[in-house]
Amino acid sequence: MDGASPAAAAIIERVISYLDKKTVRACETLNKTWYTLVTVRSVRNIDTHILQLPLRIAHYKRKGLLGSARALTIDVSFVDGFLSPAAYERRVREAAMLVRKVPGIRTLSVHAMGLHSAPSNDEIHSGVMAVDCLLRALPQLSTLDMSECPVALLDPSGASLDGLTQLRHIRWFTLGRNDMTSAAALTRLVSSNTQTIEAVDGQADITDNVLRQLCDARKFRRLNARGSNISDDSLQMLVRARGSQLTELVLSDCTRLTRRSIGHLTPEHLPRLQVLDLYNVVVTTDTYQALFNRQMYWPYLRDLKLKAALLHVSQQRDERVNDDILVAIGQNCPRLVALRLFGCHGITDAGLSAILGNLGDLRELVVMHHAEDPVSGAEESEAEVSETVTSAPEPNGLLLSLPSINDIWATIPSLHANAVPHHAPPPSAPSTPCLSSQPRRGFTSQALQHGVRSRRFNLLNLDMAYDSVCAEHLAQLSHLQVLCGRVITRHAKSLLESQFPKCKMMVWNID
C-alpha cells in the first residue's frame, strides 16, 4: 500500500496510531507519501510541557501548521527552582490563553510526569490551576483523557467542567483517590454531555448515578466500570435502555454484581456487543453457562474475559460444565479474536480443542487452571501431600513441577467471607485445590489433535506441557509471537525456535 489514494492514506494514518516509535521511524523511510503521513500525524498532536506551550504554538504559527493541530498532550507537573509562584502562575495562564487561538483542538490529554505519590502543596496548587485553565480554554473538546493525571489535581468545585458540553469520549482519573470528589465530578460531567457522550472509561469512579445518567445518552456505546461499586439494578437499567447499541462492557472486579444482572447480558439484550470483561465478578459457573450455550449466538463478540469466581451451585459437581461453555463459544462466537479464561477447573482437552478447532480469527488465547481430579479432603494424608509437591517423572519424559504461582493465586479468595453465599460446597470438592492427592496435569497434545484453525497467534498461554507432538502442531502456524506454559521439552523448544525465531517463550520448566 503506497498511500497514493485518499482511502489508502486514511487507512495508513489510522494504522500509524497503533505503532511504536521504532516502527514509525521505519515507516518514514518507505516513500514520500508515508513520510508525509507520519509527519502530518505527529504535527496534529502538540505534545509538550505547559510552560513550553507558547514556544511550540509560535513554532507552529511560523510553519503555517497551526490550523492542522487537532490534539493537545500537556504535562502539568510542577517545575521548581527558576520561577516565583506568582511568575509561574502568570506563565501558565498565558499559555492557556494562547490555546484559545488554536480552534482545531478537539482532544486534550493531561498528565503529570514528575508528580510523585505524595505531592507538595506547591505541586498540587500549580497542577490544579493548570488543569483548570486548560479546561476553561477548550470548551469545544470532544475527547478528554485524564487517566495519567493524579486525582489530586482535580478542582474540588468542578466549575471548570461545566463549560464542557460536547464531549464524546471520557477517560477519567486512575491515579489515586480523593474520597468521592472525583466520582461526583464524573457524574456532573456525564450529566452535562448526555446528548453527545459515546464512551466513558471511569473505572472505580463509575457509580449508580453515572449509569442512570447514561440511560439518557442516545449515542452511548462503550463503558469501562472496572473495580466500581455499581449495583444490579443500575446495570439492568442501563442494559434495558442502551443495550441495543452497547459495543463494549468492562465489569471486572465489580463485586456487587450478581447473577441477577449478569444473567441478563445475553445477545438478545446486547446484540452488537464486541467486548465483554467479567473477570472476578461474583457469579457461579452455571451463570456463564446460561450466557454461552448452543442457543446464545454472539455475532460480533471479539474480546471475552471470564473467571469462575465461585463453585457451581449444584450439589453434584459437573466436571464438563466449562467444556460445554467452550464448545458453545467455539460454535456461536465466530468473530472472537481474544479469549481469556481464568479459574475454570472443569476445562479439559475436549473443551480446548473446540476453541482451537473452530475459531479462525483467534489471536490471543489464555486458558489457566485446567481440570483436576476431585478428591475428598478428609482422605488426604501427609504422605500424599508431600508426594504431590515433590517433582516426579512422567511416562512421556516430562517433569511435573511444583504448583505454579497461578495455581496458588487461584486458591486465594477474591472476596470477603461474608460476600460468598452460604451454601455447602460439593461433597467431591477438595479442601486444598493446589495440594490434592492427584498431581495436577496440564493440557496434553490431545487438545491439538483436531488442528488449529487460526494460523496467527500473538499470545498463546495455556496450562499445558508442550511435548514434541504439540510442537509439531504449533509449527504449522504462520505466526507465533508469545508462548506461555508450564513445561516444555528440549526437542519441542528447539523445533519452535527454529520455526519462530522471534517468538518469546515464557515456560517455567524445560525438560
Side-chain angles (χ1 to χ4, degrees), residues 190 194 208-218 220 233-242 245:
V190 171
T194 53
D208 290 344
N209 291 331
V210 173
L211 295 189
R212 294 189 187 99
Q213 297 290 343
L214 292 175
C215 291
D216 299 327
R218 296 176 298 176
F220 184 68
D233 294 334
S234 60
L235 180 59
Q236 285 181 305
M237 186 184 304
L238 178 66
V239 171
R240 285 195 297 266
R242 300 298 164 196
Q245 60 196 43

Side-chain angles (χ1 to χ4, degrees), residues 46 54 117 400 434:
I46 303 177
S117 58
L400 286 178
C434 281

Side-chain angles (χ1 to χ4, degrees), residues 334 336-337 353 355-365 447-460 469-482 496 499-500 503:
L336 202 62
V337 175
S353 177
I355 291 294
L356 294 173
N358 290 315
L359 299 178
D361 295 332
L362 200 62
R363 296 295 179 267
E364 296 184 9
L365 178 61
L448 304 174
Q449 64 179 350
H450 297 297
V452 181
R453 185 174 179 181
S454 177
R455 313 312 300 170
R456 298 177 60 86
F457 275 97
N458 298 328
L459 172 62
L460 191 59
V469 178
C470 294
E472 291 175 358
H473 286 287
L474 296 178
Q476 300 177 7
L477 302 177
S478 60
H479 175 77
L480 181 60
Q481 186 172 350
V482 179
L496 292 175
Q499 181 68 20
F500 309 105
C503 177

Side-chain angles (χ1 to χ4, degrees), residues 4 24 29 34 38 40 48 62 124 168 177 215 237 275 371-373 396 405 413 458 476 492 494 508:
V24 170
T29 62
W34 275 84
V38 171
V40 168
T48 184
R62 286 196 305 268
I124 294 176
R168 298 170 56 190
R177 284 289 172 262
C215 291
M237 186 184 304
V275 178
E372 57 186 356
D373 296 329
N396 58 358
I405 187 63
N458 298 328
Q476 300 177 7
S494 61
W508 295 325

